[in-house]
Amino acid sequence: LAKTTQPISMDSYEGQEVNITCSHNNIATNDYITWYQQFPSQGPRFIIQGYKTKVTNEVASLFIPADRKSSTLSLPRVSLSDTAVYYCLVGLMEYGNKLVFGAGTILRVKS
Amino acid sequence: EPEVTQTPSHQVTQMGQEVILRCVPISNHLYFYWYRQILGQKVEFLVSFYNNEISEKSEIFDDQFSVERPDGSNFTLKIRSTKLEDSAMYFCASSDASGTYEQYFGPGTRLTVT
């Protein structure tokens, strides 16, 4: 499993775009990049997953450069309710595989 | 939207007692998991379950732990003789065999061992 490095915490204000970068220098050819979100006292929630270039859904965008050694989760126009821990996970995605969580990035959105 | 449910939301037990944590995964899912999170720490994988047997387990999942799918809907985690260090939030998750490999997590059971 590829080791990931994320900032421990980030602060932002409502309405701003937030970009959280994750480094994964030893990502393997078949590894996917997945982001989860966790609110206090709740289970993690899947946000987005990608393999290369850019993926966008209704919640976020995921940017992956050509070398795939890093990725950036972009949250457009955050609100107070986006305050959570965001986890970057990198690994071979097969059905039934365990998820390996790191410490994540604590995002605090202020008014 | 379908969701994973867990009961109870909070369980307090004395050291040495047995506890059973219950989960109802999403109905058409095939893979089931238990994770735990000690307060202030990372989410840790415990065990995965598929086709009525354990697929993978972590070092944490020792002989004191067991899982069962007693019927078509429930998925349980049993801790035979709880220790103080078992105090944590326990999350059940499930996933299907299509799409994004997404795992759907339940709201968790907070286990407090006194």
Side-chain angles (χ1 to χ4, degrees), chain B residues 38-84:
Chain B
I38 295 170
L39 188 63
Q41 297 188 24
K42 298 185 294 187
V43 177
E44 301 174 289
F45 168 77
L46 293 178
V47 66
S48 57
F49 192 86
Y50 170 72
N51 201 25
N52 283 317
E53 60 182 30
I54 290 174
S55 308
E56 186 176 359
K57 58 184 180 179
S58 71
E59 290 177 355
I60 303 167
F61 195 89
D62 62 21
D63 292 345
Q64 293 302 309
F65 291 86
S66 63
V67 289
E68 195 177 32
R69 188 155 160 82
D71 53 42
S73 59
N74 291 284
F75 180 51
T76 62
L77 174 70
K78 182 194 289 187
I79 309 175
R80 269 181 261 285
S81 177
T82 50
K83 307 184 192 97
L84 292 175

Side-chain angles (χ1 to χ4, degrees), chain B residues 11-29:
Chain B
Q11 172 96 44
V12 181
T13 189
Q14 289 191 326
M15 200 165 49
Q17 295 296 304
E18 174 184 286
V19 294
I20 298 175
L21 309 183
R22 292 183 166 79
C23 167
V24 179
I26 294 172
S27 62
N28 62 341
H29 283 186

